[in-house]
C-alpha cells in the first residue's frame, strides 16, 4: 500500500493474570504523554488506543483507562485465554485496521512490551502489517527530522513529519541507536512500531478522562488456531532476590572463565550469597569446565533484561557496569567492585572500588573475610 | 526429513576481541565475526532431529561473501549443506527484509519440514527474524523451545517451551519454524542415538574444514524476491544515529582501594562483613 491513512497510537497491553502488567501501565502512561504533545505540536486530535487480549479480562481493560487510554479494545475469547502467538497476532491485527471500522488503514504508531511474548508478537504483527519494528527501546519522542536516504528520499534531504524516534541500547548497553520507521515513496511502512523495555517509563495515573471500552467480536479460523497448548505447569525459577547478598561475575573472567566461575561460586558460598552474571558473560559463550557449567545460565543474569536485585552487599567481580547491568543492581545497599581498570562506569555507583585483577584479589579477599569473621566475638 | 538452520555472523563480543571507534561506538570492521552463540543450540536441535529421524540439514546464512566462513563454522557443529545469500541488492536489510530473503531461500530449497533458528542474535538482539521468517512462509512458529519431539507419521511436532515461570507443551502441524531457547537441550536416551550423534558430529567436523569452496552463493536473481521487499530498499527502518550512551553522573563516591596491598584487602573485607551484618 502507498499513501494510506494512519492515525492514533496503539498499545498492546500485557496482562499478569487478571491485572494489567506493570509494563503495560508504563506504556499507556508514556503513550498518553507522547500523544498529548503530538496533539499540541500538530494541532491534531489523535488518540491512545490500548488493546487488551484474553478471556474474562474486564478488570485489566478497566485498569487501562486509569492511565490515559482514550479507547480500550477488549479482545475477549476463550481461545485467547493464554498467549498464543498466531491467534493473538491475527486477533490484534484484525482489530487495528480499517476493516474493523476505523477511519484509517492502520495505526500510525504501535507500542509493544519487550517481554518474551511481547517481542514475539511485535515481530509477527509487523510481518503481517508489512512494517518495521525497533525492538527493546527505552526512549521515545516524535519530531520532524531531516532525512537523506537512497530509497526513502531518493537521495535528497527531506524533512519528514511526525516520525517516532525509537532509541535502543545496543550491544549490551554501550551504544544507543535511534531507529526510525519511514515510508518509501512507493510503499508505506505503518504503523511505526517498537517494543519497549520494562521499567523505562514512569507510571502516571490519570482520572476524569473521557474514555470508553469497546468489545469487538473475535473471529479466528482453525488455521490461526493450529498451534495448541496441551499442558502448562509452573516451575521453580532461580530467584536471586531471596539472597541477602550477591556475588556477580562479568567479562573480567575472560582470561580464565572456568577459574573465574570457581572464584565466584566459592566467594558466594562463603558469603551465603546468590551468584549473578552480567549480560556480557551470557553473550560471550564461554566454554567452561563441566564442574562449573551449571552456573553459566541465563537465569542468573542481572540487569535490564534479567533479574533486578537489591541485596545488602553486591560484590561485582570484573563487571564494568554498562547501563543494562546497572538497572538490575544499583539499588543494592552497598556495592563492592573488583576491577583491574580503575576507570569504569560502575565506579560511579560503587561504595568500595578495589583496583586489581580478580584472579589475584578474590582469593586474598576471601581469606581476609574469613580472618575478619574469626576475630569477631 | 529435511531441516534448515538459519545461522548468522555476529561480532565477537568476547573481551579483547571487540574493538571500538574513537566515538566509543562499535568498530565492526576491526572486530572479528563469529557464529552467533545462540545459533549453536539451533544446530544442536537440527542434529538431534537428524539423529532420530534421518534426512538432511541445510544451513542458510545471509551477509557479505566472507560469511561463507560462518557457514563452515556452523557446519562443524552440523550441516549436510550450506548456502549463503549474498548480493548488493540484499544488503542493508532490517528484520522484515531479511525475513523475505530467508523465506525465499527456504522455499528455493523446497520440501522443508522444520526450520530451526536461535533465540536472538548477539548483535541486533531483536529476536524478530525467526518469527518473521515463519510469517512470510505461512508456517506456525514456536519460540523458546527447550525440547522438541517430531511425529513423522502424523506430520506434527510437540515442543516444550519455557516462558516466564511456566513450562508449556504445545503441538502443531509440520512444516514449522522452531526457535530454540538458550535452555534448549537435546535428549539422547538410546545408545544407538548417542552413537549416531557421535559419528555425525565427527563427520561434520571433518567435512566443515573442506567445505568452504563448495558453499554456493545465492544472489537476488536466484531467490526470485520482489525488489521492493529485500535489502535496503525493502527495509522499513533506518538507523538515524548511533551514539555512546551518555555517562551517568556519579551516584556514590567509591572508596578506592589497591588490590595489591594487604591492608586495602583487609579494609574491604572488614567493610563487607560489617555491611552484611552477618557473623
Amino acid at each position: 500500500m502507498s499513501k494510506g491513512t494512519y492515525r492514533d497510537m496503539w498499545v498492546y497491553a500485557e496482562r499478569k493474570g487478571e491485572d494489567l502488567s506493570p509494563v503495560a501501565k508504563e506504556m499507556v502512561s508514556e503513550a498518553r504523554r507522547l500523544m498529548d504533545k503530538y496533539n499540541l505540536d500538530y494541532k491534531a486530535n489523535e488518540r491512545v488506543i490500548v488493546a487488551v487480549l484474553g478471556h474474562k479480562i474486564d478488570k485489566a481493560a478497566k485498569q487501562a483507562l486509569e492511565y490515559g487510554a482514550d479507547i480500550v479494545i477488549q479482545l475477549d475469547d476463550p481461545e485467547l485465554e493464554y498467549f498464543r502467538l498466531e491467534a493473538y497476532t491475527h486477533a490484534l491485527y484484525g482489530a487495528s485496521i480499517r476493516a474493523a471500522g476505523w477511519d484509517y488503514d492502520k495505526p500510525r504508531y504501535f507500542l509493544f512490551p519487550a517481554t518474551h511474548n511481547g517481542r514475539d508478537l511485535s515481530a509477527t504483527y509487523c510481518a503481517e502489517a508489512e512494517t518495521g519494528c525497533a525492538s527493546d527501546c527505552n526512549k521515545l519522542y516524535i519530531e520532524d527530522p531531516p532525512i537523506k536516504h537512497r530509497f526513502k528520499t531518493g537521495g535528497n534531504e527531506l524533512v519528514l513529519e511526525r516520525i517516532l524516534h525509537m532509541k535502543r541500547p545496543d550491544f549490551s548497553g554501550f551504544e544507543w541507536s535511534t531507529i526510525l520507521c519511514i515510508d518509501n515513496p512507493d510503499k508505506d511502512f505503518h504503523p511505526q512500531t517498537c517494543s519497549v523495555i520494562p521499567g523505562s517509563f514512569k507510571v502516571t495515573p490519570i482520572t476524569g478522562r473521557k474514555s470508553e471500552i469497546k468489545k469487538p467480536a473475535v473471529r479466528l479460523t482453525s488455521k490461526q488456531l493450529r498451534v495448541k497448548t496441551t499442558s502448562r505447569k509452573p516451575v521453580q525459577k532461580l530467584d536471586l532476590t531471596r539472597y541477602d547478598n550477591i556475588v556477580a561475575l562479568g567479562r573480567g573472567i575472560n582470561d580464565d572463565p572456568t577459574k573465574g566461575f570457581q572464584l565466584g561460586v566459592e566467594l558466594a558460598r562463603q558469603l551465603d550469597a546468590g551468584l549473578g552474571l552480567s549480560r556480557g558473560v551470557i553473550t560471550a559463550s564461554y566454554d567452561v569446565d563441566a564442574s562449573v557449567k551449571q552456573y553459566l545460565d541465563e537465569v542468573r543474569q542481572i540487569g535490564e533484561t534479567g533479574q533486578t536485585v537489591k541485596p545488602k552487599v553486591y560484590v561485582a567481580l570484573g563487571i564494568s557496569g554498562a547501563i543494562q547491568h546497572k538497572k538490575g543492581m544499583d539499588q543494592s545497599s552497598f556495592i563492592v567492585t573488583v576491577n583491574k581498570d580503575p576507570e569504569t562506569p560502575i565506579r560511579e555507583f560503587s561504595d568500595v572500588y578495589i583496583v586489581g585483577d580478580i584472579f589475584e584479589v578474590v582469593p586474598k579477599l576471601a581469606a581476609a573475610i574469613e580472618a575478619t569473621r574469626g576475630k569477631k566475638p | 526429513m529435511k531441516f534448515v538452520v538459519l545461522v548468522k555472523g555476529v561480532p565477537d563480543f568476547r573481551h579483547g576481541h571487540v574493538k571500538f571507534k574513537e566515538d566509543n561506538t562499535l568498530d565492526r570492521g576491526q572486530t572479528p565475526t563469529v557464529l552467533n552463540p545462540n545459533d549453536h543450540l539451533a544446530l544442536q536441535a537440527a542434529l538431534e532431529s537428524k539423529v532420530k529421524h534421518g534426512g538432511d540439514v541445510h544451513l542458510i546464512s545471509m551477509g557479505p561473501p566472507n560469511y561463507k566462513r560462518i557457514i563452515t563454522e556452523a557446519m562443524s557443529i552440523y550441516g549436510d549443506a550450506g548456502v549463503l545469500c549474498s548480493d548488493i541488492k540484499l544488503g542493508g536489510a532490517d528484520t522484515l527484509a531479511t525475513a523475505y530473503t530467508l523465506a525465499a531461500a527456504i522455499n528455493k530449497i523446497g520440501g522443508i519440514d522444520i526450520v530451526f533458528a536461535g533465540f536472538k542474535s548477539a548483535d541486533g538482539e531483536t529476536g524478530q527474524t525467526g518469527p518473521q521468517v515463519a510469517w512470510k512462509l505461512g508456517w506456525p512458529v514456536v519460540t523458546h523451545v527447550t525440547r522438541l519431539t517430531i511425529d513423522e507419521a502424523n506430520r506434527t511436532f510437540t515442543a516444550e517451551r519455557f516462558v516466564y515461570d511456566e513450562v508449556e507443551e504445545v503441538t502443531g502441524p509440520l512444516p514449522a519454524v522452531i526457535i530454540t531457547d538458550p535452555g534448549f537441550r537435546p535428549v539422547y536416551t538410546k545408545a544407538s542415538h548417542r552413537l549416531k550423534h557421535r559419528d555425525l558430529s565427527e563427520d561434520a567436523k571433518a567435512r566443515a574444514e573442506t567445505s568452504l569452496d563448495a558453499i554456493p552463493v545465492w544472489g537476488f536473481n536466484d531467490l526470485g524476491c520482489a525488489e521492493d521487499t529485500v535489502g535496503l530498499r525493502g527495509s522499513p527502518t533506518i538507523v538515524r544515529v548511533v551514539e555512546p550512551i551518555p555517562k551517568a553522573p556519579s551516584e556514590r563516591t567509591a572508596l578506592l582501594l589497591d588490590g595489591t596491598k594487604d591492608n586495602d584487602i583487609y579494609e574491604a573485607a572488614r567493610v563487607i562483613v560489617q555491611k552484611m551484618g552477618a557473623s
Side-chain angles (χ1 to χ4, degrees):
Chain A
M1 171 178 291
S2 115
K3 307 287 170 282
T5 312
Y6 310 100
R7 283 168 57 85
D8 296 343
M9 176 174 280
W10 279 61
V11 174
Y12 167 67
E14 209 165 54
R15 286 174 299 108
K16 198 171 167 65
E18 57 179 17
D19 293 304
L20 226 47
S21 72
V23 65
K25 296 173 187 174
E26 292 161 22
M27 289 164 64
V28 177
S29 298
E30 179 68 8
R32 181 74 269 151
R33 282 188 286 272
L34 286 164
M35 292 315 281
D36 281 349
K37 182 168 189 307
Y38 174 97
N39 286 333
L40 273 178
D41 288 352
Y42 298 105
K43 297 184 176 55
N45 186 24
E46 298 195 20
R47 300 160 295 189
V48 172
I49 299 188
V50 179
V52 185
L53 282 71
H55 185 45
K56 297 183 178 158
I57 48 171
D58 288 356
K59 191 176 171 194
K62 281 201 192 82
Q63 287 171 351
L65 298 177
E66 297 164 16
Y67 302 92
D70 293 302
I71 299 174
V72 172
I73 300 296
Q74 183 176 340
L75 297 171
D76 199 316
D77 190 281
E79 294 285 4
L80 300 177
E81 182 173 3
Y82 297 104
F83 184 85
R84 295 161 77 180
L85 186 54
E86 282 185 289
Y88 268 52
T89 307
H90 289 292
L92 183 62
Y93 181 73
S96 68
I97 57 175
R98 188 181 286 279
W102 301 103
D103 60 348
Y104 47 80
D105 296 300
K106 293 179 204 170
R108 182 187 296 281
Y109 310 115
F110 215 129
L111 312 186
F112 289 86
T115 55
H116 288 317
N117 291 339
R119 264 200 211 97
D120 287 351
L121 186 62
S122 70
T124 48
Y125 179 95
C126 287
E128 180 69 21
E130 291 283 314
T131 190
C133 179
S135 75
D136 298 76
C137 299
N138 64 356
K139 188 175 163 72
L140 303 172
Y141 56 93
I142 298 163
E143 64 176 36
D144 300 347
I147 297 293
K148 188 176 171 183
H149 187 274
R150 199 173 138 207
F151 295 107
K152 298 198 182 289
T153 65
N156 306 309
E157 184 170 297
L158 297 177
V159 173
L160 302 177
E161 279 196 354
R162 307 172 195 222
I163 303 296
L164 180 62
H165 285 58
M166 305 175 280
K167 298 189 84 156
R168 66 184 304 251
D170 280 348
F171 175 40
S172 295
F174 287 106
E175 293 177 351
W176 215 7
S177 305
T178 304
I179 312 288
L180 314 177
C181 179
I182 294 176
D183 294 343
N184 282 4
D186 54 354
K187 193 178 186 183
D188 289 358
F189 295 118
H190 269 82
Q192 302 174 44
T193 305
C194 65
S195 61
V196 302
I197 298 172
S200 300
F201 302 115
K202 217 169 72 193
V203 173
T204 315
I206 289 177
T207 49
R209 196 180 170 85
K210 192 170 163 287
S211 53
E212 62 173 318
I213 295 177
K214 288 185 180 177
K215 298 179 184 174
V218 178
R219 283 187 203 88
L220 293 165
T221 65
S222 59
K223 191 184 170 195
Q224 293 164 345
L225 297 167
R226 61 192 163 175
V227 176
K228 301 193 189 315
T229 303
T230 48
S231 80
R232 175 180 278 108
K233 52 176 187 281
V235 283
Q236 202 66 39
K237 201 176 88 178
L238 177 82
D239 180 9
L240 291 172
T241 62
R242 68 188 177 85
Y243 289 93
D244 278 347
N245 303 293
I246 300 274
V247 172
L249 299 171
R251 283 203 185 113
I253 65 170
N254 190 65
D255 289 345
D256 188 345
T258 295
K259 182 78 190 158
F261 266 94
Q262 286 165 350
L263 290 172
V265 169
E266 279 164 32
L267 187 63
R269 210 168 278 157
Q270 187 188 4
L271 302 181
D272 198 18
L275 182 77
L277 304 173
S278 76
R279 176 95 198 123
V281 172
I282 308 292
T283 54
S285 32
Y286 293 126
D287 188 16
V288 295
D289 191 79
S291 61
V292 292
K293 198 155 196 168
Q294 56 168 307
Y295 299 103
L296 178 44
D297 192 326
E298 190 151 348
V299 299
R300 292 184 183 274
Q301 187 187 318
I302 290 171
E304 201 154 39
T305 50
Q307 300 195 43
T308 300
V309 295
K310 304 166 189 176
K312 285 193 206 166
V313 178
Y314 188 95
V315 183
L317 304 177
I319 290 174
S320 61
I323 183 82
Q324 120 85 16
H325 187 73
K326 179 176 187 280
K327 287 220 163 158
M329 48 67 78
D330 68 346
Q331 292 173 69
S332 304
S333 305
F334 199 78
I335 298 171
V336 179
T337 298
V338 183
N339 202 307
K340 59 183 169 188
D341 180 354
E343 297 296 336
T344 62
I346 201 172
R347 185 171 159 185
E348 306 297 323
F349 47 96
S350 294
D351 298 288
V352 170
Y353 194 92
I354 307 171
V355 182
D357 187 341
I358 58 164
F359 295 102
E360 287 160 26
V361 171
V362 175
K364 287 197 282 182
L365 184 63
I369 289 169
E370 212 44 54
T372 305
R373 282 172 159 178
K375 266 191 240 163
K376 286 203 144 190
Chain B
M1 301 187 82
K2 231 166 152 181
F3 309 103
V4 157
V5 186
L6 303 176
V7 297
K8 189 184 181 192
V10 298
D12 186 348
F13 283 136
R14 284 174 303 166
H15 188 80
H17 294 246
V18 54
K19 299 279 186 294
F20 293 95
K21 290 190 249 186
E22 262 179 25
D23 65 358
N24 274 325
T25 57
L26 181 65
D27 189 342
R28 284 175 194 267
Q30 294 301 311
T31 303
T33 301
V34 293
L35 176 66
N36 179 42
N38 279 330
D39 296 353
H40 290 237
L41 292 170
L43 290 158
Q44 292 290 354
L47 175 55
E48 183 195 14
S49 299
K50 163 148 181 163
V51 165
K52 292 176 178 173
H53 302 278
D56 291 320
V57 176
H58 298 257
L59 310 183
I60 303 177
S61 191
M62 180 172 155
N66 61 6
Y67 273 40
K68 277 189 183 183
R69 279 258 165 244
I70 297 304
I71 294 176
T72 59
E73 194 185 335
M75 256 182 187
S76 71
I77 297 171
Y78 199 78
D80 293 290
V83 60
L84 177 69
C85 302
S86 188
D87 194 309
I88 194 128
K89 283 188 179 169
L90 303 175
D94 68 3
T95 63
L96 186 70
T98 301
Y100 268 109
T101 309
L102 294 175
I106 291 161
N107 283 330
K108 184 175 164 79
I109 293 171
I112 300 300
D113 298 293
I114 298 182
V115 172
F116 293 95
F119 170 64
K120 298 208 283 193
S121 61
D123 55 349
E125 287 209 345
T126 70
Q128 290 177 31
T129 305
Q132 292 193 329
V133 168
W135 214 259
K136 291 306 165 196
L137 290 166
W139 299 357
V141 53
V142 182
T143 60
H144 296 285
V145 173
T146 48
R147 224 173 249 198
L148 180 73
T149 345
I150 300 166
D151 182 341
E152 269 186 88
N154 289 311
R155 300 277 305 150
T156 59
F157 66 86
T158 302
E160 178 191 273
R161 61 191 303 261
F162 183 25
V163 259
Y164 305 105
D165 304 341
E166 284 184 336
V167 173
E168 232 184 36
E169 194 183 86
V170 302
T171 64
L174 296 176
V177 175
I178 298 293
I179 317 284
T180 53
D181 187 78
F184 179 88
R185 296 292 176 267
V187 183
Y188 297 108
T189 46
K190 289 187 193 166
S192 62
H193 286 165
R194 286 198 289 271
L195 284 174
K196 186 142 188 231
H197 172 257
R198 192 197 63 193
D199 292 348
L200 288 175
S201 296
E202 281 171 10
D203 288 355
K205 278 190 189 70
R207 194 172 46 234
E209 286 169 26
T210 57
S211 59
L212 188 70
D213 295 334
I215 293 169
V217 175
W218 288 351
F220 173 76
N221 291 329
D222 300 306
L223 292 169
C225 301
E227 205 164 344
D228 66 353
T229 61
V230 296
L232 189 66
R233 182 172 163 191
S235 297
T237 61
I238 66 168
V239 180
R240 185 178 177 200
V241 63
V242 177
E243 57 203 323
I245 290 177
K247 199 176 161 187
S250 188
E251 292 167 15
R252 307 183 192 206
T253 310
L255 170 67
L256 199 63
L257 297 173
D258 181 345
T260 62
K261 290 191 178 137
D262 284 350
N263 278 347
D264 282 19
I265 295 284
Y266 269 90
E267 175 59 14
R270 193 189 63 74
V271 182
I272 288 172
V273 171
Q274 184 203 339
K275 294 291 174 188
M276 281 174 54
S279 56

